[in-house]
Amino acid sequence: MIDLKFSNEVANARLTNAPVVALESTIITHGMPYPQNIKVAAQVEQDIRDAGAVPATIAVLNGALHIGLEQDQLTALGQAQNVAKLSRADLAACLATGGTGATTVAATMIAAHHAAIKVFATGGIGGVHKGAETSFDISADLHELAATPVTVVAAGSKAILDTAKTLEVLETLGVPVIAYGQDAFPAFWSATSSFDAPLRMDSTAAIARAHATRAALGLPGGQLIANPISKDDEIASETLSPLIAQAQSEADQSGITGKAVTPYLLQRIFELTDGQSLVANIALVRNNARLAANIARDLSQFNL
Ligand code: PSU
Ligand code: MN
């Protein structure tokens, strides 16, 4: 019943069974400022092609679920004002009412799964916010990872979150959290946090095998691949911590709640770091896109 609208290259990939990597669109509309957002979105797509897979940026345009955007659609979305941010709770309502919206990690996973795409690259997932013991602000991304069988490549959870609580919730939900090539769970703009990831893998073949094994076991839910930003591109956590604390206390004082919290914090940190957070954000998203393409290629060897 859902009429998926495939971009030309994704439609071709489906005919030839070529590996496809899903990309979210909230990072374009709510995660990065214009005009860098459009440039980065196109660059990330090209990184995936260069690594031998096909990019599928996902969004809802005028009530249609798009799996892959043409360049003009991507540009229009990146320029549009007041685009809705669609998570699990909002996706069906937006489709049913003919709306336009950008998909978060949770909604992108749902759409990707619907289109039989198994691998998805993003910057950082949503998680448990600092102060969640009173605000109850826990991203729907975590529940989606428990429910929908997509392997998500991210640079850990954003450092604006409570990493310890985020890891606890992921453990409770039975989500495999796999650090790539190191023991430490990465902290988005920084390569390491002070926590080890529960699991570690050093090859994309192992990650693909683990995805296929979960499917064979009939387990619902996906995997979180925590891919550290390269040391050359990272911002030291000592530099960031006070700025994150400042942004958080401003958000609290301004009464920012709900889905506005993450975009607000990202924008304030961009300002407080004189744009350095965006430079790191771009580097880590591209790094994740390349890894996701390699996982998708390995996964295409399996008959899932
Ligand atoms: N990572 C980024 N920038 C972003 C996001 C993640 O680098 O903008 C978005 C993702 O779409 C993620 C969402 O799913 O933030 C989480 O929002 P919330 O905390 O409201 O669930
Ligand atoms: Mn939230």
Side-chain angles (χ1 to χ4, degrees):
M1 172 201 151
I2 303 289
D3 184 19
L4 298 176
K5 296 260 185 282
F6 296 104
S7 63
N8 282 328
E9 64 179 334
V10 174
N12 284 333
R14 288 164 67 84
L15 291 175
T16 57
N17 262 326
V20 178
V21 173
L23 296 165
E24 62 157 309
S25 43
T26 295
I27 192 170
I28 302 170
T29 55
H30 293 72
M32 292 186 185
Y34 174 82
Q36 291 98 328
N37 60 349
I38 294 174
K39 204 173 143 231
V40 175
Q43 203 164 44
V44 169
E45 289 200 344
Q46 192 55 43
D47 289 329
I48 289 174
R49 291 185 198 105
D50 292 346
V54 173
T57 302
I58 290 175
V60 178
L61 305 181
N62 304 311
L65 183 50
H66 285 256
I67 311 291
L69 298 179
E70 307 300 344
Q71 185 57 50
D72 57 324
Q73 294 169 328
L74 197 65
T75 306
L77 190 70
Q79 286 174 331
Q81 303 284 321
N82 303 319
V83 177
K85 174 178 162 185
L86 308 176
S87 191
R88 164 176 268 257
D90 320 287
L91 181 61
C94 185
L95 290 168
T97 56
T100 290
T103 51
T104 63
V105 168
T108 304
M109 289 179 74
I110 295 169
H113 180 51
H114 211 69
I117 299 171
K118 298 171 190 71
V119 183
F120 160 29
T122 183
I125 61 160
V128 183
H129 280 264
K130 296 180 200 285
E133 58 276 22
T134 51
S135 70
F136 279 49
D137 189 347
I138 301 176
S139 176
D141 292 353
L142 302 183
H143 287 274
E144 207 57 56
L145 279 160
T148 302
V150 173
T151 287
V152 179
V153 182
S157 59
K158 274 161 282 175
I160 54 178
L161 301 169
D162 187 320
T163 306
K165 290 192 180 71
T166 299
L167 287 170
E168 286 294 348
V169 171
L170 287 166
E171 184 185 319
T172 302
L173 294 173
V175 176
V177 177
I178 303 166
Y180 184 65
Q182 68 181 28
D183 293 329
F185 185 68
F188 199 65
W189 297 287
S190 317
T192 57
S193 68
S194 47
F195 302 92
D196 276 353
L199 298 165
R200 168 185 174 152
M201 288 185 188
D202 295 296
S203 74
T204 53
I207 294 167
R209 212 158 43 237
H211 181 115
T213 305
R214 285 182 65 85
L217 287 169
L219 288 170
Q223 317 187 94
L224 175 60
I225 309 305
N227 185 32
I229 186 173
S230 90
K231 281 278 176 196
D232 293 341
D233 296 317
E234 76 168 345
I235 307 178
S237 51
E238 304 83 70
T239 313
L240 273 177
S241 293
L243 304 180
I244 292 170
Q246 181 182 339
Q248 180 70 56
S249 91
E250 289 174 8
D252 292 343
Q253 275 160 26
S254 316
I256 310 285
T257 56
K259 53 171 69 179
V261 173
T262 298
Y264 178 92
L265 291 175
L266 290 175
Q267 175 61 27
R268 276 307 281 145
I269 290 163
F270 170 72
E271 290 159 6
L272 293 169
T273 59
D274 292 323
Q276 275 310 109
S277 67
L278 180 63
V279 176
N281 201 340
I282 294 168
L284 67 86
V285 177
R286 298 185 65 188
N287 193 37
N288 295 343
R290 287 185 288 262
L291 183 64
N294 286 317
I295 295 168
R297 288 175 57 184
D298 287 338
L299 206 47
S300 65
Q301 312 298 317
F302 290 87
N303 216 343
L304 291 177

